[in-house]
Amino acid sequence: GAGVSQTPSNKVTEKGKYVELRCDPISGHTALYWYRQSLGQGPEFLIYFQGTGAADDSGLPNDRFFAVRPEGSVSTLKIQRTERGDSAVYLCASSPGTGVGYGYTFGSGTRLTVV
Amino acid sequence: AQSVAQPEDQVNVAEGNPLTVKCTYSVSGNPYLFWYVQYPNRGLQFLLKYITGDNLVKGSYGFEAEFNKSQTSFHLKKPSALVSDSALYFCAVIRWEQNSGGYQKVTFGIGTKLQVIP
């Protein structure tokens, strides 16, 4: 597609529920990143995929968070037993390569609200 | 560890006046610096970057930034502000991670809200 697509754009869920957030990167982009932006903060790194594999998941806050990219394109961020502190905007970005000069293209994000 | 500081939560400027949004950084090795802009309910949009070369970098929408190594700064500037420039601006520094075949890892500042007053 023309840009990075994230669905849903908004998600409201009850505390304790399971949620899935989807990211559809730009076609052909091999690198995919998930970031979390809490209110009043800059985006914080969660996980990086090169192809199908999670090359760096050091930013995932705990084992309730998990992400997959089974075919090297679409990625899903999964959050189990959601907590109110998980409320944030979850941003996905993709890049055509891993070189420093490439930069990222970001999606519009999924605003997750846990009530 | 690398870090980015944006010392101003908000910057107010009158339309037509020059604007500056400040950013300082801390990295080991060569800095790779970016500016992004975020409009309400939109994703982050790339404005400009410094990788190497000229210290004055020109980017989208008439913005430019000056890399100053001695002051470890990368301030965003525009000669004449527009009301439509009102948005949230993020400075970011990239570190090159050697493992996993090598990749870029970005650290963002907390953002500065720019308000251009008509």
Side-chain angles (χ1 to χ4, degrees), chain A residues 37 55-56 58 98 101 104 107, chain B residues 38 43 49 90 96 100 103 105-106:
Chain A
Q37 187 176 10
D56 183 349
S58 62
T98 55
Y104 296 171
Chain B
Q38 187 175 41
K49 64 183 177 185
F90 290 95
W96 179 251
S100 300
Y103 65 97
K105 193 167 184 178
V106 183

Side-chain angles (χ1 to χ4, degrees), chain B:
Chain B
Q2 59 187 30
S3 64
V4 171
Q6 293 182 246
E8 302 152 316
D9 291 336
Q10 181 159 334
V11 170
N12 296 322
V13 63
E15 185 177 24
N17 282 1
L19 70 88
T20 298
V21 182
K22 295 180 180 178
C23 171
T24 58
Y25 65 89
S26 175
V27 299
S28 56
N30 294 325
Y32 306 115
L33 299 160
F34 284 63
W35 275 100
Y36 285 86
V37 59
Q38 187 175 41
Y39 297 98
N41 300 314
R42 303 276 296 276
L44 291 158
Q45 296 178 31
F46 169 79
L47 272 181
L48 50 79
K49 64 183 177 185
Y50 172 82
I51 304 296
T52 188
D54 290 341
N55 289 342
L56 185 63
V57 178
K58 294 188 182 297
S60 306
Y61 312 120
F63 283 93
E64 57 189 28
E66 186 168 10
F67 170 67
N68 187 317
K69 188 172 183 178
S70 63
Q71 297 184 5
T72 61
S73 67
F74 190 57
H75 301 331
L76 182 70
K77 300 182 180 185
K78 187 172 182 180
S80 178
L82 300 173
V83 173
S84 58
D85 293 330
S86 299
L88 196 54
Y89 290 80
F90 290 95
C91 184
V93 61
I94 292 179
R95 181 175 71 202
W96 179 251
E97 296 281 347
Q98 295 285 357
N99 56 327
S100 300
Y103 65 97
Q104 51 179 321
K105 193 167 184 178
V106 183
T107 299
F108 288 90
I110 64 170
T112 298
K113 183 178 180 181
L114 174 66
Q115 189 74 35
V116 181
I117 303 163

